[in-house]
Amino acid sequence: MTNAGEKNNAMARNGRLARQAFWAMVQRDLLIQARDAWEFVFRVAMLPFILILTYGFMLPTLGVLPKSFPSQMFAGMVGMSMLITGIHGTAVPFTMDFNNMHEIEDRLQAPVSSTVVGLSKMLVGIIESFVGGLIVLPISLIFMGSRIDVTMGAGGILPLALVLVLISLASAALGLLVGTIVKPNQIAAMFPGFLMPVVFLGAIFFSWQSLSAIPVLQTIVLVNPLVYANEALRAILTPQIAHMPLVWSVLGLVAAIVIMGGLGFRRFHRMVVGQKA
């Protein structure tokens, strides 16, 4: 009984220590981000601002696009902002800490598992992902408010909350994976080489079902987690627009989290072993 009690006490202490270390890491990363708050807002808001101004305001006003187009792209703007912000918020600090500043070495020396370190990085990305979604909302309302036809009822609040959480998790999981692949000198190429295809093939300006006219492309874009994010938001916020069934979208997000998170942590643990060797 004594040995069992001591073992339980040791496990409790280790768990308490892991939680304290985890929150200390998260708070430090968030404090660093808070110091550059305006740079963060500018980085997160610029792409949605340009897209909304052009496709959601100017072109419909000029008659180049139908006036209903802002409703088509509204869900896509929210999904894109959340996913891209979460990827950037997880991947860039991670790759910089690991390859340039080597700050990750200090964290790995803490008496906690490397998984705790990886999860702390992901939580920061998840928080930034939600902030990214909040930033795009006022921009959308300013330029597209009168043209957005959101028909979500009270019953959609819970599914919307679930989808937003899944999008944030998917963005952080993909950010972790990208952070273990991209080197600091490759960050400048990450946007045109990786994020641009994700954005413009992510069902922002079109629905997945509309791609039935191009079956090959409709199949290829299924590897893009942004498609599932935007289609899930479209199904909840603007269900009058053709969309992928919500169950499929949710399953796609869950699969993206499991696959990308699993690969990301596998690569992360390999990097940790190499760092300690």
Side-chain angles (χ1 to χ4, degrees), residues 43 84 87-93 95 174-175 177-179 181-198:
R43 169 170 53 83
I84 298 304
I87 292 172
H88 190 282
T90 307
V92 174
T95 191
L174 182 53
L177 178 59
V178 171
I181 297 174
V182 176
K183 300 295 186 293
N185 60 352
Q186 299 171 333
I187 291 177
M190 185 172 73
F191 188 79
F194 171 71
L195 294 183
M196 286 291 280
V198 169

Side-chain angles (χ1 to χ4, degrees), residues 35-47:
R35 290 174 179 172
D36 300 319
W38 287 113
E39 184 274 337
F40 171 78
V41 172
F42 177 81
R43 169 170 53 83
V44 172
M46 184 49 62
L47 179 60

